[in-house]
Amino acid sequence: MAELRTEEMLLNVGPQHPSTHGVLRVVIKLDGEIIREATPVIGYLHRGTEKLSEDLQYQQIIPYFDRLDYISAMLNNHAIVNAVEKAMDIEIPERAEYLRVIVGELNRTAAHLLFVGAYLLDLGAMSPFLYVFMTRERIIELLNEISGARLTYNYMRVGGVKYDAPPGWFAKIREFIPYFKEMYQLFDDLITGNEIFISRVKGIGSYGQEEAINYGLSGIPLRSTGFKWDLRKNKSYSVYDRFDFEIPVGTNGDNYDRYYLHLLEMEQSMRIVEQAIDSIPEGPVMGKAPKILRIPAGEYYAAVEGAKGELGVYIVSDGKDKPYRMKIRRPSFVNLQIIPSLLKDQNIADFIAILGSIDIVLGEVDA
Amino acid sequence: MMFGLLKGLGVTLRQIPKKNVTLQYPDVKPDWPDRFRGVHKFYPEKCIVCNQCARVCPTSCISLSGTRGEDKKMHIETYDINFEICILCDLCTEVCPTEAIQMTDTFELAEYSRDALFKNIEWLAENGRQHDARKGKSDDQANHDAKAADKAGEQ
């Protein structure tokens, strides 16, 4: 009997695939059910934000930043205004700093909630997604009330924030926090202990600390390996040094750790919000900033802890009111780099579980 | 072994008697907050043709023209917003010194042709009249007064 002829199969996952969270294509070479090679193909959502910025004044760039990581636009807002303020040495009022922290942490919670929902949906669990959206909707409504939009907030300005909180807004957050804690318990009940879920994620897609650092990972993909690195603590900006919160870290760097860190971080974010609304000072929300923003000639870099990792803005200025060159360090883009080595020699059934756990947003990958 | 699964099933059972959280759109419209940034409204009589809105627009979707009248004041003639590229960022209403351009809670922008997304001065003024009628003029006036007070406070 003649030997069976075998050959490698080339498979395109995406760009229109429900589990790639946007328009990402991954070309995988399959040997039976084992992935031998995986190459992400990016650029389907490329809008040229960096190049467009060169022709925009600094306040005009803020709405473009909303559209990078569109599920945590408040943190993107914070990244750009923080970078411009650091470069120009602008002091901003205390109340504005506190409002930035509150909306930022609420938005981080919303982004992590979406991760939990979408990840479970990737793994075939429908109901967690619905519970997650119920909770997330409350946060989106709160942010809609303060900024006037549900996703693309355009809320922060160089020198402060656009609006003060509307009447009764803080009371609504106080109402939301116990509701969130109740839902948090529910997610824990529904997902964390589920045997089917655990067998899909525990010990799968793990990498070591050294590999994570070599790939330049940040955020939860880095912290899941046990490396304690969070810009809110390590290079504190805004008023984060005034709050008491912890940076949860994982141990194995596998899918399960990355999933569970999202839950733990939401809890810490809520702790920050709780402290911030209790201690927010009175005062103006907009400081003294010149009408036309001109950054002195030179190079500047400032980063904030985005929902996905270190979100940095590098500005090269020649003293005009527009940047000469702007480079955005997008955490999703950097975190995606580990995908080829992570997927190598994995089972094809684990492909989605691994890709989903890295938590990428294509608006940010392609910029 | 199956304990985690049963716990999850308990969550589902607890949900059954609870009320629905979804909204029956389009029969029931969402109730947007005051600051909601929907499609613009425009008050031609307030506009002083300073061109600031067109200059600050990040996507250059506003085009306008005006003439100098007999009373030596500028009057608006054409005012067009291209909603194909407008990103509803609110920067135009922020710079407007006379509050001639404002945002409303209109958000349903679907059209059958791309040309229909090009809204002119009449459409924007009509949208303003409808919005004012919906919200009640007194409400809008109060909002306007509060904003004017804010601006006075800044200076």
Side-chain angles (χ1 to χ4, degrees):
Chain A
M1 198 177 139
E3 221 173 275
L4 274 176
R5 194 175 63 89
T6 63
E7 62 178 68
E8 276 190 342
M9 188 171 109
L10 195 79
L11 185 69
N12 278 302
V13 185
Q16 307 292 339
H17 188 281
S19 290
T20 52
H21 300 236
V23 274
L24 170 73
R25 180 156 67 110
V26 186
V27 183
I28 52 178
K29 271 199 189 123
L30 285 171
D31 176 11
E33 288 200 351
I34 306 296
I35 299 169
R36 293 292 176 214
E37 203 185 317
T39 322
V41 182
I42 61 167
Y44 292 95
L45 199 58
H46 178 63
R47 292 145 299 178
T49 310
E50 289 176 4
K51 189 69 188 169
L52 281 167
S53 304
E54 291 169 17
D55 206 30
L56 293 168
Q57 290 173 354
Y58 289 104
Q59 73 265 34
Q60 291 178 312
I61 300 174
I62 301 169
Y64 280 87
F65 265 68
D66 284 340
R67 286 153 179 81
L68 290 177
D69 178 359
Y70 37 73
I71 58 170
S72 63
M74 283 292 186
L75 297 160
N76 299 354
N77 274 200
H78 204 160
I80 174 73
V81 295
N82 184 47
V84 176
E85 279 157 5
K86 287 245 168 87
M88 290 181 69
D89 258 333
I90 295 175
E91 282 279 315
I92 83 157
E94 289 248 302
R95 192 176 172 84
E97 290 276 29
Y98 273 76
L99 279 171
R100 280 182 188 183
V101 167
I102 293 169
V103 293
E105 292 308 314
L106 282 174
N107 206 185
R108 190 190 309 278
T109 311
H112 284 358
L113 278 171
L114 189 70
F115 164 84
V116 171
Y119 189 49
L120 267 291
L121 202 59
D122 284 351
L123 296 176
M126 184 74 203
S127 43
F129 184 75
L130 302 171
Y131 287 107
V132 158
F133 260 61
M134 256 164 65
T135 320
R136 180 170 172 269
E137 184 66 21
R138 294 274 294 256
I139 301 179
I140 298 291
E141 284 299 316
L142 284 170
L143 296 176
N144 188 8
E145 222 166 287
I146 197 171
S147 70
R150 284 168 57 88
L151 275 183
T152 49
Y153 308 110
N154 190 20
Y155 175 62
M156 297 180 194
R157 294 286 180 274
V158 177
V161 293
K162 188 175 172 186
Y163 298 114
D164 201 345
W169 195 70
F170 293 121
K172 278 185 187 165
I173 299 182
R174 284 205 180 88
E175 268 170 43
F176 170 72
I177 289 170
Y179 173 77
F180 174 81
K181 283 181 178 155
E182 193 187 305
M183 291 309 272
Y184 180 88
Q185 193 54 48
L186 188 147
F187 300 142
D188 228 23
D189 283 354
L190 194 60
I191 309 163
T192 313
N194 188 302
E195 287 85 3
I196 302 170
F197 172 67
I198 287 182
S199 61
R200 288 295 305 274
V201 292
K202 202 125 210 189
I204 291 167
S206 68
Y207 48 81
Q209 210 172 87
E210 207 186 319
E211 197 182 358
I213 294 168
N214 287 348
Y215 272 104
L217 304 191
S218 55
I220 285 173
L222 174 63
R223 289 195 286 275
S224 69
T225 61
F227 192 84
K228 210 169 196 167
W229 182 258
D230 188 310
L231 294 181
R232 288 174 295 173
K233 274 257 197 260
N234 296 79
K235 290 187 176 177
S236 191
Y237 56 94
S238 195
V239 286
Y240 277 110
D241 49 351
R242 297 184 196 174
F243 304 117
D244 175 33
F245 65 102
E246 267 139 47
I247 308 297
V249 289
T251 44
N252 305 321
D254 60 357
N255 289 350
Y256 179 79
D257 276 7
R258 283 191 288 279
Y259 153 77
Y260 202 54
L261 283 185
H262 278 91
L263 274 191
L264 293 176
E265 274 200 9
M266 284 196 268
E267 208 181 15
Q268 298 301 323
S269 288
M270 276 299 137
R271 260 179 83 187
I272 299 175
V273 171
E274 231 171 342
Q275 292 169 45
I277 55 174
D278 283 338
S279 57
I280 185 165
E282 290 295 324
V285 294
M286 192 71 194
K288 283 198 180 71
K291 221 161 189 146
I292 294 171
L293 302 161
R294 285 196 177 86
I295 295 186
E299 298 178 12
Y300 308 90
Y301 179 78
V304 301
E305 183 74 25
K308 313 278 182 280
E310 178 181 345
L311 177 57
V313 179
Y314 177 70
I315 300 170
V316 182
S317 174
D318 53 359
K320 297 209 179 80
D321 57 345
K322 294 164 183 170
Y324 175 77
R325 169 84 171 90
M326 179 179 278
K327 160 79 187 154
I328 309 159
R329 187 209 185 273
R330 289 115 50 204
S332 288
F333 175 71
V334 180
N335 291 353
L336 184 68
Q337 286 186 103
I338 202 169
I339 282 291
S341 88
L342 201 53
L343 285 177
K344 199 168 177 343
D345 298 330
Q346 293 282 352
N347 210 312
I348 189 171
D350 293 331
F351 172 84
I352 294 299
I354 293 171
L355 182 66
S357 76
I358 299 290
D359 194 13
I360 48 165
V361 166
L362 269 295
E364 196 172 66
V365 171
D366 293 341
Chain B
M1 165 66 200
M2 294 291 284
F3 186 61
L5 287 177
L6 291 174
K7 237 166 132 185
L9 200 62
V11 170
T12 313
L13 289 173
R14 265 182 280 151
Q15 183 65 32
I16 290 172
K18 286 185 189 161
K19 246 176 42 192
N20 283 355
V21 292
T22 43
L23 192 71
Q24 292 300 320
Y25 180 82
D27 299 328
V28 184
K29 302 268 179 191
D31 187 20
W32 297 118
D34 293 342
R35 290 173 185 175
F36 183 74
R37 307 201 304 259
V39 178
H40 305 76
K41 61 177 173 181
F42 184 65
Y43 296 107
E45 64 284 356
K46 282 189 196 165
C47 181
I48 55 168
V49 201
C50 63
N51 212 22
Q52 283 194 63
C53 49
R55 268 216 313 264
V56 81
C57 180
T59 60
S60 319
C61 68
I62 303 176
S63 47
L64 57 90
S65 69
T67 48
R68 196 169 289 282
E70 277 157 22
D71 53 352
K72 295 276 180 352
K73 279 187 182 156
M74 292 294 281
H75 292 282
I76 192 82
E77 263 186 355
T78 65
Y79 194 95
D80 302 301
I81 300 181
N82 181 1
F83 281 102
E84 263 186 275
I85 55 175
C86 175
I87 55 175
L88 301 171
C89 68
D90 201 21
L91 289 178
C92 48
T93 68
E94 205 172 299
V95 295
C96 185
T98 60
E99 312 259 317
I101 180 112
Q102 290 177 30
M103 310 295 264
T104 68
D105 60 359
T106 318
F107 63 97
E108 287 149 321
L109 257 176
E111 297 281 4
Y112 282 103
S113 81
R114 302 182 75 159
D115 291 346
L117 284 168
F118 209 79
K119 305 294 189 198
N120 60 11
I121 190 167
E122 283 86 21
W123 191 93
L124 291 165
E126 178 55 33
N127 189 34
R129 278 191 289 279
Q130 282 179 12
H131 182 248
D132 291 345
R134 215 165 39 238
K135 286 271 158 186
K137 189 70 193 164
S138 58
D139 190 348
D140 181 69
Q141 200 57 46
N143 197 4
H144 177 259
D145 291 347
K147 268 193 174 175
D150 273 359
K151 279 203 171 161
E154 276 170 26
Q155 283 150 12

